[in-house]
Amino acid sequence: ILFFNGPEQISSARERLDGYIRAHREQGVPYDAGRVHVIPVTATNYEPLREVLTQSSPSAIICFSDILALQTVRVLNRIRPGWKKNTVIAGFDNIKSFFPLPVSLISVGPAADSLGGRAAQTLLKLMRGEKVENTTVLHTRIFDE
């Protein structure tokens, strides 16, 4: 499983890498840092993606975001047209719930009801002058087409 992560100065990139490492540990699979690649979260990431993907044939790729997952699909379509038979791609953010895309994509995103509820609880506490812990807890769902 390759992991295309965002730059480490982005807190969610650090958290996703921690989760990737933890998942390996929990499943008893050795963590290989050589399978983690920091990819720019910009439109200029074609070459870094192409370079990694021409050197490996992963059965799965986890991407920092759905946008990066879609860019990965674009590169694979150009360099390995039959890739869909052997490779699964997953991203984060569930942008397909906002945009109808012609691509099947597994995505992890917040469950809207938990996000709204958590935000409302926090705002109510602040309005009452109560102390609010500096924590982020989101329930997530996996969206698959």
Side-chain angles (χ1 to χ4, degrees):
I1 300 172
L2 286 181
F3 180 37
F4 291 153
N5 201 10
E8 69 178 30
Q9 66 265 27
I10 301 173
S11 62
S12 55
R14 292 190 305 272
E15 292 168 358
R16 290 170 186 166
L17 177 60
D18 290 345
Y20 178 80
I21 294 169
R22 187 175 59 246
H24 277 78
R25 184 177 56 244
E26 289 173 0
Q27 295 301 312
V29 175
Y31 166 70
D32 179 358
R35 295 189 135 311
V36 175
H37 302 274
V38 175
I39 303 292
V41 189
T42 65
T44 61
N45 61 15
Y46 182 87
E47 280 305 313
L49 286 168
R50 188 191 63 72
E51 185 177 324
V52 173
L53 293 168
T54 55
Q55 297 174 13
S56 63
S57 296
S59 59
I61 304 169
I62 299 171
C63 297
F64 168 76
S65 68
D66 287 346
I67 298 295
L68 186 54
L70 292 170
Q71 290 167 315
T72 300
V73 167
R74 177 177 162 239
V75 173
L76 284 170
N77 283 339
R78 288 190 179 170
I79 66 170
R80 196 175 306 126
W83 69 269
K84 292 178 186 178
K85 296 175 192 155
N86 305 312
T87 308
V88 175
I89 298 177
F92 288 85
D93 303 327
N94 188 30
I95 64 169
K96 285 193 74 159
S97 65
F98 302 106
F99 306 103
L101 301 173
V103 175
S104 179
L105 182 64
I106 297 169
S107 184
V108 177
D113 55 342
S114 69
L115 184 60
R118 179 69 70 178
Q121 289 173 352
T122 301
L123 286 172
L124 288 170
K125 284 182 180 181
L126 289 170
M127 290 168 60
R128 290 190 298 254
E130 297 175 18
K131 183 178 178 185
V132 177
E133 298 284 331
N134 187 16
T135 59
T136 303
V137 179
L138 296 175
H139 298 283
T140 58
R141 285 183 50 201
I142 296 177
F143 303 87
D144 185 8
E145 278 194 343

